[in-house]
């Protein structure tokens, strides 16, 4: 319970928290993250807002320092008090949540856990507003951190307030992006007032001044340090360690049973009194006397949960215990934990109670790791496996578990820790297959460790592939493909792709690796047929990202559509986040080239919603392509800055292509030429092909004939063997500009006439019309420019449409103004909602797709109605911009 003293000088912070509560009571949910050093008063502020929100349902949860990362441990604390509302959830969501919370067997759908928790809390809040307080958020398990930040970003339309308390300088993924409030030290006047109010005794003035200086306004330091006894203060040290010593001093005065009870409570993160009393009895403690003495010290309180007065008190109790005492505490907790309902926690306590190798406990931890991975807790799995490796008796088992721990640690985003685990293995003693596995993992670690990591990672994996015996050819090719995919991510300019292909055998099965080797060695005229043959079967389903790129290299719209359809179906069937996201991103790209910007926006919004649910950054390239084609200058510039800051070569090449398209649309041809040249120089598959026409157009307009002709030769090398109408139409249009030949302008339009690529068709009309006007054929020019302006305007290519209007004006005709598109007035997310509702979806169905609550969807719908000047869902169905073309 917060005291007046502990809240001294916190008027502004309290008012901010109360404003959050008042807004939530009115149905405008929100979140606030309190950040500050240990002892600064974060927990006291949580206590205060908990008392102040007396009309709310109040739930507390916390992270835990001294426990393996059990997946969803903190989410469990938040959801259990409202599980009476579980029946309000649809069956798949209810089941996924129960599995995630360890209350049912199975593997949870990662897309459903966060949304299920949101619906559960929203259902509870519908009865009475809900206040969720999460202390020690810097110690949240990774799965809970993702789920809770997901919740926090989606409660704006719910009567829910969430307050996190976390130490500063200890980042938590997702948490730092939420609204925050830094809790600073007290002013000197407030600090002196606090010391006086605590009445800790008469202090020597010089000691008081030094204490005030060293406490730096930290309230807990000001309250606790004088209680340590003796005022000849030691050499200055971090406030946290000073406060812990104060707690230790108070513990030293307690009876032995009380001290042992505190150690036991510090080793149990659940705070369950029933478990604590059972474990205490196993240690033959006098529970009644020990708990009374511990509570009297003010260090801990026993009610519905055992709660230390401060996390530092718990930390001090655990650290102060000798290793045998800690092991005894964990052993008692393990023996008192129900093996049926909490088998993973029991396994973890058993592991902490074990001093030397123990194969039985190691095997139990390995089983717990499998369960944790099935529930999405890769960090927990890593912790279990690392401890299992330490307890393993046999060398083979130890190596096997260490490799598995390193793999799980890398999957949890801790590359440095994974590398540390690998260094503990003497690879020279391993059999070749295990040594190759270790090298593959080492390469994957290198890949995520910096801008040059992909090059190092690919070289490591190449060495591993070359170490494998000739009889293990299939696994060797798998390693080469893994390195190849690294090359795709960083872009060809990094050299990874070419190193892999140079190391690959020149002969092999007709797969994508062999085809790419041929493409690189013999050029497109030999390579494109080989790629087409490799994509004719279904082997590409093992590398769908590579397949989408190669379909683009073939200029094959039908093949690309087939791959996108497969990605969509497979993603829905397997629930694989990366498969779904790749499918959505590629669907958006197809829609951009087809000029269906509403569909593109909807796909982008859905991909970004999934990325947000997973705590990952969204794909940028579909948004860049859309913004560039539309002619959105500032948006392209902003996306360019973000893309280049990620230091991924392939994404940077996309960014240069987007800048080239933008500048060609704006008529800034020198800038377009510079950007297109950068894009082409990357040598990336697909991107080089679509960047070459931009380079040719800009070079022709800049009078750079040699550059234009060289680029035309490179385009012909790619387009002619591809032979599709898309390829031949683009090549004819480029050839027309370079050769100043009307027949080629006409041929381009002929090839593209029946193509779904309306963007290319409209631009072909524009270029032909511009050529006719420059040739002095105004009447013919007007017909082409009128068609170009109408098509460009209808699609929404704003910059190119203005270019067409300017050209029409030069012929003496004024272009007709066009009405605004629906998607010009809506955000990406709003466009997705509007399209779904127009197609007949309910708010709940839309909410599921975008990981929102139905109330939030309804709030967005009200905004959509206001922006579009309509009042009903029926009117949405009548808007042509919200329907896909038949």
């Amino acid at each position: 319970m917060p005291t007046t003293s502990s809240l001294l000088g916190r008027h502004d912070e309290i008012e901010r928290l109360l404003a959050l509560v008042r807004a939530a009571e009115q149905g405008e949910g929100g979140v606030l993250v309190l950040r500050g050093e240990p002892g600064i008063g974060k927990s006291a502020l949580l206590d205060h807002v908990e008392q102040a929100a007396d009309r709310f349902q109040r739930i507390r949860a916390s992270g835990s320092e001294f426990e393996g990362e059990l997946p969803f441990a903190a989410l469990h604390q938040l959801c259990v008090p409202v599980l009476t509302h579980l029946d309000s959830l649809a069956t798949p969501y209810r089941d996924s949540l129960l599995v995630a919370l360890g209350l049912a067997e199975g593997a949870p759908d990662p897309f459903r856990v966060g949304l299920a928790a949101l619906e559960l809390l929203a259902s509870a809040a519908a009865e009475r507003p809900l206040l969720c307080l999460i202390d020690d958020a810097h110690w949240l398990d990774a799965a809970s951190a993702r789920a809770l930040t997901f919740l926090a970003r989606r409660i704006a339309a719910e009567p829910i307030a969430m307050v996190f308390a976390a130490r500063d300088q200890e980042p938590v993924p997702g948490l730092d992006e939420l609204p925050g409030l830094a809790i600073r030290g007290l002013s000197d006047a407030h600090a002196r007032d606090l010391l006086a109010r605590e009445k800790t005794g008469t202090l020597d003035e010089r000691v008081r001044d030094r204490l005030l200086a060293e406490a730096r306004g930290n309230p807990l330091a000001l309250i606790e340090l004088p209680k340590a006894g003796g005022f000849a203060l030691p050499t200055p040290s971090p406030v946290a360690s000073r406060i812990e010593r104060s707690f230790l001093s108070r513990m030293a005065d307690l009876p032995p049973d009380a001290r042992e009870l505190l150690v036991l409570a510090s080793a149990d993160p659940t705070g369950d009194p029933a478990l604590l009393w059972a474990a205490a009895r196993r240690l033959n403690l006098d529970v009644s006397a020990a708990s009374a003495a511990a509570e009297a010290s003010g260090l801990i309180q026993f009610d519905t949960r055992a709660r230390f007065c401060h996390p530092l008190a718990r930390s001090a109790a655990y650290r102060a215990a000798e290793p045998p005492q800690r092991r005894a505490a964990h052993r008692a907790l393990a023996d008192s934990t129900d093996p049926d309902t909490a088998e993973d926690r029991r396994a973890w306590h058993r592991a902490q109670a074990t001093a030397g190798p123990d194969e039985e406990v190691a095997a139990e931890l390995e089983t717990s790791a499998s369960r944790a991975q099935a529930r999405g807790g890769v960090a927990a799995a890593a912790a279990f496996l690392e401890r299992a490796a330490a307890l393993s008796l046999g060398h083979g088992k130890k190596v096997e578990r260490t490799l598995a721990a390193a793999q799980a640690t890398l999957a949890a985003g801790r590359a440095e820790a994974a590398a540390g685990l690998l260094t503990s293995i003497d690879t020279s003693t391993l059999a070749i297959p295990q040594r190759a596995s270790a090298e593959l993992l080492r390469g994957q670690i290198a890949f995520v460790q910096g801008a040059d990591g992909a090059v190092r990672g690919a070289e490591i994996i190449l060495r591993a592939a070359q170490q494998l015996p000739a009889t293990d050819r299939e696994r060797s090719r798998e390693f080469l493909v893994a390195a190849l995919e690294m090359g795709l991510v960083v872009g060809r300019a990094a050299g990874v792709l070419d190193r892999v292909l140079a190391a690959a055998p020149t002969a092999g099965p007709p797969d994508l690796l062999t085809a790419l080797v041929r493409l690189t060695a013999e050029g497109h005229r030999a390579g494109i047929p080989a790629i087409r043959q490799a994509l004719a079967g279904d082997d590409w389903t093992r590398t769908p990202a590579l397949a989408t790129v190669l379909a683009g290299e073939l200029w094959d719209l039908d093949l690309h559509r087939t791959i996108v359809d497969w990605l969509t179906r497979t993603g829905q069937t397997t629930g694989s986040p990366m498969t779904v996201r790749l499918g959505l991103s590629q669907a958006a790209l197809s829609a951009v080239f087809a000029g269906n910007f509403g569909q593109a926006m909807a796909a982008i919004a859905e991909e970004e919603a999934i990325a947000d649910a997973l705590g990952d950054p969204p794909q940028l390239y579909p948004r860049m392509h859309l913004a560039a084609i539309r002619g959105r200058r500032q948006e392209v510039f902003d996306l360019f800055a973000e893309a280049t800051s990620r230091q991924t070569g392939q994404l940077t090449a996309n960014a240069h292509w987007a800048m080239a398209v933008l500048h060609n649309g704006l008529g800034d041809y020198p800038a377009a030429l510079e950007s297109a040249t950068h894009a082409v120089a990357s040598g990336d598959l697909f991107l080089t092909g679509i960047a070459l026409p931009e380079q040719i157009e800009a070079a022709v307009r800049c009078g750079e004939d040699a550059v234009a002709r060289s680029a035309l030769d490179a385009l012909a090398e790619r387009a002619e063997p591809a032979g599709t109408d898309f390829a031949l139409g683009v090549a004819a249009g480029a050839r027309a500009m370079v050769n100043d030949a009307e027949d080629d302008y006409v041929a381009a339009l002929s090839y593209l006439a029946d193509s779904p690529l309306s963007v290319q068709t409209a631009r072909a009309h524009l270029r032909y019309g511009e050529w006719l006007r420059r040739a002095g054929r105004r009447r013919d020019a007007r017909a082409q420019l009128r068609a170009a302006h109408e098509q460009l305007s209808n699609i929404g290519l704003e910059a190119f449409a203005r270019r067409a209007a300017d050209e029409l004006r030069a012929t003496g005709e004024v272009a007709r103004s066009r009405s605004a598109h629906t998607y010009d007035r809506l955000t990406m997310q709003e466009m997705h909602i509007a399209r779904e509702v127009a197609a007949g979806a309910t708010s709940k169905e839309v909410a599921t797709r975008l990981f929102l609550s139905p109330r939030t969807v309804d709030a967005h719908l009200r905004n959509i109605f206001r922006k579009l000047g309509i009042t009903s869902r029926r009117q949405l169905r009548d808007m042509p911009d919200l329907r896909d073309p038949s």
Side-chain angles (χ1 to χ4, degrees):
M1 178 177 295
T3 64
T4 304
S5 297
S6 64
L7 294 171
L8 186 68
R10 297 301 187 201
H11 176 272
D12 292 345
E13 292 87 344
I14 290 171
E15 184 52 41
R16 179 86 177 267
L17 287 166
L18 293 181
L20 181 75
V21 169
R22 288 192 294 268
E25 196 167 15
Q26 300 301 315
E28 298 177 9
V31 59
L32 191 63
V33 181
L34 307 181
R35 281 281 193 180
E37 66 181 19
I40 203 67
K42 304 182 297 294
S43 297
L45 287 167
L46 291 186
D47 291 342
H48 179 78
V49 73
E50 182 178 19
Q51 289 181 33
D54 53 358
R55 291 191 292 274
F56 279 61
Q57 302 173 75
R58 291 157 288 187
I59 305 176
R60 290 192 78 133
S62 64
S64 176
E65 180 183 14
F66 300 114
E67 133 180 77
E69 274 208 48
L70 293 174
F72 299 109
L75 184 68
H76 186 283
Q77 298 173 47
L78 205 63
C79 291
V80 163
V82 292
L83 280 182
T84 52
H85 296 273
L86 202 59
D87 289 341
S88 66
L89 275 61
T91 300
Y93 294 91
R94 181 177 66 245
D95 292 347
S96 279
L97 185 60
L98 287 173
V99 171
L101 299 181
L103 302 175
E105 293 295 323
D109 184 331
F111 297 125
R112 289 174 174 163
V113 172
L115 189 57
L118 175 62
E119 288 200 28
L120 182 71
L121 296 180
S123 294
E127 291 184 354
R128 192 154 55 106
L130 186 62
L131 174 64
C132 302
L133 304 171
I134 301 95
D135 208 348
D136 295 331
H138 48 279
W139 286 327
L140 287 172
D141 62 276
S144 289
R146 283 195 302 270
L148 294 181
T149 52
F150 170 86
L151 285 170
R153 288 192 292 266
R154 285 164 174 77
I155 56 173
E158 308 292 342
I160 301 174
M162 296 183 74
V163 185
F164 294 82
R167 291 183 184 177
D168 52 9
Q169 299 178 339
E170 295 194 36
V172 179
L175 209 64
D176 296 333
E177 300 166 14
L178 301 176
L181 179 62
I183 311 300
R184 309 295 186 192
L186 300 178
S187 67
D188 185 65
H190 283 133
R192 289 180 179 277
D193 193 2
L194 177 57
L195 268 182
R197 291 189 188 193
E198 285 298 304
K199 300 178 182 177
T200 54
T202 304
L203 297 180
D204 176 272
E205 190 65 29
R206 291 173 59 197
V207 173
R208 178 186 288 108
D209 288 344
R210 184 172 181 183
L211 191 150
L212 285 165
E214 291 187 4
R216 303 192 320 277
N218 186 293
L220 188 63
L222 291 164
I223 292 170
E224 289 297 327
L225 296 185
K227 296 178 183 177
F231 300 111
L233 298 181
T235 302
S237 60
V239 170
S241 60
R242 292 278 307 282
I243 297 172
E244 282 196 17
R245 286 203 297 271
S246 169
F247 287 132
L248 287 174
S249 176
R250 291 161 64 182
M251 290 175 199
D253 297 331
L254 293 173
D257 275 14
R259 289 200 302 272
E260 200 162 352
L261 182 63
L262 287 173
V263 173
L264 193 62
S266 72
D268 167 39
T270 69
D272 179 2
L275 174 62
L276 186 61
W277 305 144
R281 283 190 288 272
R282 288 182 182 275
L283 294 173
N284 297 316
L285 302 184
D286 184 338
V287 173
S288 179
S291 60
E295 278 200 308
S297 72
L299 293 169
I300 197 167
Q301 181 179 353
F302 301 108
D303 43 48
T304 57
R305 281 183 68 190
R307 286 180 60 188
F308 281 87
C309 65
H310 194 275
L312 289 176
R314 182 182 178 210
S315 173
Y318 192 82
R319 295 184 199 281
E322 294 295 325
Q325 191 179 13
R326 285 203 289 260
R327 286 196 293 272
H330 282 292
R331 188 176 301 110
L333 287 165
D335 292 342
S336 304
T337 298
D338 188 334
D340 295 324
T341 61
E343 51 193 335
D344 293 337
R345 199 179 296 282
R346 180 176 180 273
W348 182 254
H349 281 307
R350 286 192 70 193
Q352 299 305 103
T354 305
D358 188 319
E359 184 58 33
E360 181 186 343
V361 175
E364 193 175 341
L365 285 171
E366 198 169 21
T367 302
S368 290
S370 297
R371 280 194 296 265
Q373 282 184 312
R375 291 167 56 199
V378 287
F384 286 136
L385 288 166
E386 185 175 354
R387 185 64 178 152
L391 297 179
S392 298
L393 277 170
H395 177 69
K397 276 290 187 184
K398 188 179 186 69
V399 168
E400 180 184 323
R401 287 165 179 159
T402 301
L403 285 173
Q407 183 70 64
T409 302
L410 177 62
R414 298 169 56 225
E416 292 295 336
L421 284 168
L422 279 182
T423 59
S424 68
I425 300 173
D426 181 1
T427 55
S428 65
T429 65
L430 302 181
I432 289 177
Q434 272 194 323
R435 191 185 310 155
S437 295
E439 290 299 289
L440 175 62
L441 187 53
R442 204 182 304 279
Q444 291 168 334
I445 290 169
F447 179 60
V448 300
Q449 282 186 318
D452 64 340
V455 177
R456 291 187 293 108
E459 288 174 346
I460 293 170
I461 294 174
L462 282 174
R463 285 200 303 271
Q466 290 161 351
Q467 288 172 10
L468 288 166
T471 54
D472 205 352
R473 186 179 302 169
E474 185 175 347
R475 193 165 186 227
S476 176
R477 293 182 75 82
E478 287 176 3
F479 278 36
L480 290 172
V481 170
L484 189 66
E485 289 180 322
M486 289 184 185
L488 278 181
V489 173
V490 297
R492 194 154 196 164
V496 176
L497 184 69
D498 294 320
R499 292 186 197 200
V500 174
L501 296 175
T506 53
D511 60 10
L512 292 180
L513 183 62
T514 302
L516 282 170
V517 169
R518 190 167 185 188
L519 177 74
T520 302
E522 302 178 42
H524 281 73
R525 296 187 187 278
I528 280 183
I531 292 172
R532 185 174 286 114
Q533 180 184 2
L535 289 172
D538 59 1
D539 284 349
W540 59 263
T541 58
R542 291 184 293 179
T543 54
L546 178 60
T548 62
V549 171
L550 292 178
E553 190 73 7
L554 295 178
W555 305 76
D556 192 328
L557 301 175
D558 292 335
L559 176 60
H560 186 265
R561 192 177 301 110
T562 297
I563 295 171
V564 171
D565 289 345
W566 179 88
L567 286 165
T568 303
R569 290 194 311 274
T570 304
Q572 291 170 348
T573 302
T574 64
S576 166
M578 291 313 299
T579 303
V580 174
R581 291 178 62 192
L582 178 61
L584 287 167
S585 296
Q586 291 295 314
L589 210 57
S590 292
V592 168
F593 282 99
N596 192 339
F597 294 168
Q599 183 180 346
M601 290 172 69
I604 291 168
E606 191 168 346
E607 188 280 326
E608 291 179 350
I610 296 171
D612 185 56
L614 297 170
D616 292 338
Q619 300 281 6
L620 280 186
Y621 66 87
R623 192 182 270 268
M624 278 194 296
H625 281 250
L626 177 60
I629 290 290
R630 293 180 74 184
R632 296 298 179 90
R633 186 178 186 278
Q634 190 56 53
E635 186 178 354
V636 174
F637 275 48
D638 292 343
L639 289 168
F640 182 89
E642 185 175 352
T644 52
S645 71
R646 292 191 186 181
Q647 296 186 323
T648 301
Q650 200 261 2
L651 186 57
T652 301
N654 270 281
H656 283 301
W657 173 88
M659 292 289 274
V661 172
L662 173 73
H663 288 306
N664 270 334
L666 296 172
D668 186 351
Y669 300 111
L673 179 58
E674 181 181 1
S675 295
T677 301
H678 280 300
V680 168
S682 71
D684 286 316
L685 296 167
F686 169 62
L687 274 170
T688 299
I690 65 165
L692 282 167
E694 305 301 332
Q695 185 184 33
I696 292 166
E697 181 167 353
V700 168
R701 291 303 186 98
C702 291
E704 298 284 350
D705 293 343
V707 173
R709 290 193 177 278
S710 174
L712 179 60
D713 289 342
L715 179 61
E717 166 74 13
R718 287 166 168 79
E720 289 173 7
T724 65
D725 286 345
F726 177 20
L728 297 176
V730 169
R735 193 166 55 250
M737 287 186 287
V738 174
N739 295 332
D740 207 29
E742 183 172 8
D743 286 349
D744 286 324
Y745 282 114
V746 174
L749 285 169
S750 176
Y751 280 122
L752 295 171
D754 297 323
S755 166
L757 298 173
S758 57
V759 169
Q760 292 292 340
T761 306
R763 289 185 66 183
H765 279 294
L766 173 60
R767 287 190 290 263
Y768 186 22
E770 288 172 330
W771 181 85
L772 289 167
R773 186 190 65 79
R774 289 194 300 272
R777 295 163 56 184
R778 289 194 171 193
R779 178 176 296 179
D780 293 337
R782 283 177 192 146
Q784 292 298 324
L785 292 171
R786 201 178 298 124
H789 183 264
E790 182 174 348
Q791 292 175 24
L792 293 165
S793 298
N794 286 341
I795 298 169
L797 277 73
E798 298 164 11
F800 286 105
R802 284 195 296 271
R803 211 174 100 183
D806 290 343
E807 288 286 336
L808 263 178
R809 194 175 301 112
T811 69
E813 181 175 319
V814 177
R816 290 181 296 174
S817 60
R818 311 295 299 183
S819 58
H821 299 89
T822 300
Y823 48 74
D824 290 330
R825 291 172 277 177
L826 302 179
T827 66
M828 297 270 188
Q829 193 176 69
E830 288 170 345
M831 191 66 189
H832 188 289
I833 292 170
R835 285 170 57 86
E836 292 283 323
V837 171
T842 65
S843 293
K844 193 161 188 174
E845 289 168 340
V846 178
T848 299
R849 296 289 293 271
L850 291 180
F851 305 96
L852 302 170
S853 73
R855 285 170 59 102
T856 301
V857 171
D858 289 338
H860 281 303
L861 270 176
R862 289 192 290 272
N863 282 336
I864 292 167
F865 291 167
R866 176 180 53 78
K867 289 181 178 181
L868 300 183
I870 61 177
T871 58
S872 72
R873 293 170 180 248
R874 181 181 297 276
Q875 288 172 284
L876 278 178
R877 299 187 190 114
D878 296 333
M879 304 191 76
D881 278 4
L882 300 181
R883 296 194 300 268
D884 291 338
S886 56

